[in-house]
Amino acid sequence: MCKYTEIENIKLFNGKTIKQINEEVSKEVEHIYLEGWTKGIAIPFRYAYRSNK
């Protein structure tokens, strides 16, 4: 089984690594929440946890 650090370094077809994509997505989600909150919009946060049980 691969370690997560190995998976993060896989390059995708667009030339970026999985780690780079994850960082970009995190920044965009943060931007969306902060922009909404500054406008007084309550954005619900839902933590998606999936169990393999």
Side-chain angles (χ1 to χ4, degrees), residues 23-53:
E23 289 171 355
E24 290 175 11
V25 169
S26 291
K27 288 178 185 177
E28 183 62 25
V29 169
E30 180 182 14
H31 173 76
I32 291 168
Y33 274 85
L34 291 174
E35 186 176 326
W37 290 333
T38 58
K39 294 178 181 179
I41 301 170
I43 302 172
F45 174 79
R46 188 176 121 203
Y47 177 73
Y49 173 77
R50 297 186 184 180
S51 175
N52 291 332
K53 291 182 182 179

Side-chain angles (χ1 to χ4, degrees), residues 6-18 20:
E6 294 171 1
I7 294 171
E8 278 187 326
N9 293 322
I10 294 173
K11 280 211 174 193
L12 303 173
F13 66 93
N14 60 4
K16 296 181 180 182
T17 64
I18 292 176
Q20 289 172 315

